[in-house]
PDB file of all heavy atoms in Angstrom:
ATOM      1  N   LYS A  70      -1.195  -8.220  -9.462  1.00 95.00           N
ATOM      2  CA  LYS A  70      -0.404  -9.456  -9.350  1.00 95.00           C
ATOM      3  C   LYS A  70      -0.452 -10.006  -7.923  1.00 95.00           C
ATOM      4  O   LYS A  70      -0.547 -11.220  -7.724  1.00 95.00           O
ATOM      5  CB  LYS A  70       1.049  -9.212  -9.757  1.00 95.00           C
ATOM      6  CG  LYS A  70       1.256  -8.915 -11.216  1.00 95.00           C
ATOM      7  CD  LYS A  70       1.118 -10.156 -12.048  1.00 95.00           C
ATOM      8  CE  LYS A  70       1.463  -9.867 -13.492  1.00 95.00           C
ATOM      9  NZ  LYS A  70       1.158 -10.957 -14.391  1.00 95.00           N
ATOM     10  N   ILE A  71      -0.377  -9.127  -6.943  1.00 96.00           N
ATOM     11  CA  ILE A  71      -0.466  -9.560  -5.545  1.00 96.00           C
ATOM     12  C   ILE A  71      -1.811 -10.245  -5.315  1.00 96.00           C
ATOM     13  O   ILE A  71      -1.878 -11.325  -4.722  1.00 96.00           O
ATOM     14  CB  ILE A  71      -0.281  -8.372  -4.574  1.00 96.00           C
ATOM     15  CG1 ILE A  71       1.158  -7.854  -4.630  1.00 96.00           C
ATOM     16  CG2 ILE A  71      -0.662  -8.778  -3.145  1.00 96.00           C
ATOM     17  CD1 ILE A  71       1.378  -6.545  -3.894  1.00 96.00           C
ATOM     18  N   CYS A  72      -2.869  -9.629  -5.798  1.00 95.00           N
ATOM     19  CA  CYS A  72      -4.205 -10.212  -5.609  1.00 95.00           C
ATOM     20  C   CYS A  72      -4.321 -11.558  -6.302  1.00 95.00           C
ATOM     21  O   CYS A  72      -4.922 -12.483  -5.747  1.00 95.00           O
ATOM     22  CB  CYS A  72      -5.274  -9.244  -6.107  1.00 95.00           C
ATOM     23  SG  CYS A  72      -5.512  -7.850  -4.986  1.00 95.00           S
ATOM     24  N   GLU A  73      -3.741 -11.686  -7.476  1.00 94.00           N
ATOM     25  CA  GLU A  73      -3.756 -12.977  -8.170  1.00 94.00           C
ATOM     26  C   GLU A  73      -3.064 -14.042  -7.315  1.00 94.00           C
ATOM     27  O   GLU A  73      -3.578 -15.147  -7.161  1.00 94.00           O
ATOM     28  CB  GLU A  73      -3.065 -12.868  -9.531  1.00 94.00           C
ATOM     29  CG  GLU A  73      -3.891 -12.132 -10.569  1.00 94.00           C
ATOM     30  CD  GLU A  73      -3.119 -11.835 -11.848  1.00 94.00           C
ATOM     31  OE1 GLU A  73      -1.957 -12.288 -12.012  1.00 94.00           O
ATOM     32  OE2 GLU A  73      -3.682 -11.117 -12.703  1.00 94.00           O
ATOM     33  N   LYS A  74      -1.913 -13.685  -6.736  1.00 95.00           N
ATOM     34  CA  LYS A  74      -1.169 -14.634  -5.907  1.00 95.00           C
ATOM     35  C   LYS A  74      -1.936 -14.995  -4.632  1.00 95.00           C
ATOM     36  O   LYS A  74      -1.810 -16.093  -4.118  1.00 95.00           O
ATOM     37  CB  LYS A  74       0.204 -14.076  -5.548  1.00 95.00           C
ATOM     38  CG  LYS A  74       1.197 -14.121  -6.696  1.00 95.00           C
ATOM     39  CD  LYS A  74       2.555 -13.627  -6.228  1.00 95.00           C
ATOM     40  CE  LYS A  74       3.639 -13.995  -7.184  1.00 95.00           C
ATOM     41  NZ  LYS A  74       4.056 -15.378  -7.109  1.00 95.00           N
ATOM     42  N   GLU A  75      -2.730 -14.058  -4.129  1.00 95.00           N
ATOM     43  CA  GLU A  75      -3.482 -14.269  -2.894  1.00 95.00           C
ATOM     44  C   GLU A  75      -4.919 -14.735  -3.174  1.00 95.00           C
ATOM     45  O   GLU A  75      -5.732 -14.802  -2.260  1.00 95.00           O
ATOM     46  CB  GLU A  75      -3.492 -12.994  -2.052  1.00 95.00           C
ATOM     47  CG  GLU A  75      -2.113 -12.523  -1.606  1.00 95.00           C
ATOM     48  CD  GLU A  75      -1.445 -13.442  -0.605  1.00 95.00           C
ATOM     49  OE1 GLU A  75      -2.154 -14.230   0.076  1.00 95.00           O
ATOM     50  OE2 GLU A  75      -0.200 -13.381  -0.498  1.00 95.00           O
ATOM     51  N   ASN A  76      -5.223 -15.006  -4.433  1.00 94.00           N
ATOM     52  CA  ASN A  76      -6.539 -15.489  -4.838  1.00 94.00           C
ATOM     53  C   ASN A  76      -7.658 -14.498  -4.489  1.00 94.00           C
ATOM     54  O   ASN A  76      -8.716 -14.868  -3.968  1.00 94.00           O
ATOM     55  CB  ASN A  76      -6.828 -16.873  -4.241  1.00 94.00           C
ATOM     56  CG  ASN A  76      -7.930 -17.601  -4.975  1.00 94.00           C
ATOM     57  OD1 ASN A  76      -8.166 -17.353  -6.149  1.00 94.00           O
ATOM     58  ND2 ASN A  76      -8.611 -18.486  -4.276  1.00 94.00           N
ATOM     59  N   LYS A  77      -7.400 -13.231  -4.779  1.00 93.00           N
ATOM     60  CA  LYS A  77      -8.363 -12.153  -4.533  1.00 93.00           C
ATOM     61  C   LYS A  77      -8.492 -11.303  -5.789  1.00 93.00           C
ATOM     62  O   LYS A  77      -7.672 -11.388  -6.700  1.00 93.00           O
ATOM     63  CB  LYS A  77      -7.896 -11.250  -3.378  1.00 93.00           C
ATOM     64  CG  LYS A  77      -7.631 -11.953  -2.083  1.00 93.00           C
ATOM     65  CD  LYS A  77      -8.887 -12.355  -1.397  1.00 93.00           C
ATOM     66  CE  LYS A  77      -8.568 -12.996  -0.067  1.00 93.00           C
ATOM     67  NZ  LYS A  77      -9.708 -13.569   0.556  1.00 93.00           N
ATOM     68  N   LYS A  78      -9.509 -10.456  -5.802  1.00 92.00           N
ATOM     69  CA  LYS A  78      -9.677  -9.479  -6.878  1.00 92.00           C
ATOM     70  C   LYS A  78      -9.992  -8.135  -6.239  1.00 92.00           C
ATOM     71  O   LYS A  78     -10.597  -8.068  -5.176  1.00 92.00           O
ATOM     72  CB  LYS A  78     -10.800  -9.883  -7.822  1.00 92.00           C
ATOM     73  CG  LYS A  78     -10.454 -11.087  -8.674  1.00 92.00           C
ATOM     74  CD  LYS A  78     -11.523 -11.369  -9.698  1.00 92.00           C
ATOM     75  CE  LYS A  78     -11.057 -12.572 -10.521  1.00 92.00           C
ATOM     76  NZ  LYS A  78     -11.933 -12.842 -11.622  1.00 92.00           N
ATOM     77  N   ILE A  79      -9.601  -7.087  -6.925  1.00 93.00           N
ATOM     78  CA  ILE A  79      -9.899  -5.736  -6.448  1.00 93.00           C
ATOM     79  C   ILE A  79     -11.174  -5.257  -7.123  1.00 93.00           C
ATOM     80  O   ILE A  79     -11.296  -5.298  -8.338  1.00 93.00           O
ATOM     81  CB  ILE A  79      -8.748  -4.764  -6.778  1.00 93.00           C
ATOM     82  CG1 ILE A  79      -7.477  -5.161  -6.024  1.00 93.00           C
ATOM     83  CG2 ILE A  79      -9.149  -3.328  -6.439  1.00 93.00           C
ATOM     84  CD1 ILE A  79      -6.247  -4.380  -6.436  1.00 93.00           C
ATOM     85  N   SER A  80     -12.122  -4.828  -6.308  1.00 93.00           N
ATOM     86  CA  SER A  80     -13.286  -4.120  -6.826  1.00 93.00           C
ATOM     87  C   SER A  80     -12.894  -2.645  -6.903  1.00 93.00           C
ATOM     88  O   SER A  80     -12.848  -2.062  -7.971  1.00 93.00           O
ATOM     89  CB  SER A  80     -14.489  -4.325  -5.913  1.00 93.00           C
ATOM     90  OG  SER A  80     -15.594  -3.630  -6.412  1.00 93.00           O
ATOM     91  N   PHE A  81     -12.550  -2.063  -5.737  1.00 95.00           N
ATOM     92  CA  PHE A  81     -11.967  -0.718  -5.728  1.00 95.00           C
ATOM     93  C   PHE A  81     -11.125  -0.535  -4.466  1.00 95.00           C
ATOM     94  O   PHE A  81     -11.436  -1.070  -3.403  1.00 95.00           O
ATOM     95  CB  PHE A  81     -13.039   0.381  -5.811  1.00 95.00           C
ATOM     96  CG  PHE A  81     -13.773   0.627  -4.519  1.00 95.00           C
ATOM     97  CD1 PHE A  81     -13.268   1.490  -3.554  1.00 95.00           C
ATOM     98  CD2 PHE A  81     -14.972  -0.005  -4.267  1.00 95.00           C
ATOM     99  CE1 PHE A  81     -13.944   1.699  -2.360  1.00 95.00           C
ATOM    100  CE2 PHE A  81     -15.660   0.202  -3.082  1.00 95.00           C
ATOM    101  CZ  PHE A  81     -15.134   1.053  -2.124  1.00 95.00           C
ATOM    102  N   ILE A  82     -10.068   0.213  -4.634  1.00 97.00           N
ATOM    103  CA  ILE A  82      -9.249   0.643  -3.501  1.00 97.00           C
ATOM    104  C   ILE A  82      -8.890   2.101  -3.734  1.00 97.00           C
ATOM    105  O   ILE A  82      -8.441   2.478  -4.825  1.00 97.00           O
ATOM    106  CB  ILE A  82      -7.951  -0.175  -3.352  1.00 97.00           C
ATOM    107  CG1 ILE A  82      -8.254  -1.663  -3.162  1.00 97.00           C
ATOM    108  CG2 ILE A  82      -7.120   0.358  -2.173  1.00 97.00           C
ATOM    109  CD1 ILE A  82      -7.001  -2.537  -3.135  1.00 97.00           C
ATOM    110  N   ASN A  83      -9.105   2.904  -2.709  1.00 98.00           N
ATOM    111  CA  ASN A  83      -8.692   4.301  -2.728  1.00 98.00           C
ATOM    112  C   ASN A  83      -7.497   4.458  -1.804  1.00 98.00           C
ATOM    113  O   ASN A  83      -7.597   4.143  -0.612  1.00 98.00           O
ATOM    114  CB  ASN A  83      -9.822   5.214  -2.257  1.00 98.00           C
ATOM    115  CG  ASN A  83     -11.003   5.181  -3.187  1.00 98.00           C
ATOM    116  OD1 ASN A  83     -10.854   5.285  -4.397  1.00 98.00           O
ATOM    117  ND2 ASN A  83     -12.196   5.034  -2.624  1.00 98.00           N
TER     118      ASN A  83
END
Side-chain angles (χ1 to χ4, degrees):
K70 292 285 186 189
I71 291 170
C72 286
E73 286 171 6
K74 285 183 164 283
E75 298 292 338
N76 199 26
K77 304 286 183 188
K78 290 186 179 186
I79 295 172
S80 179
F81 77 86
I82 301 175
N83 295 313

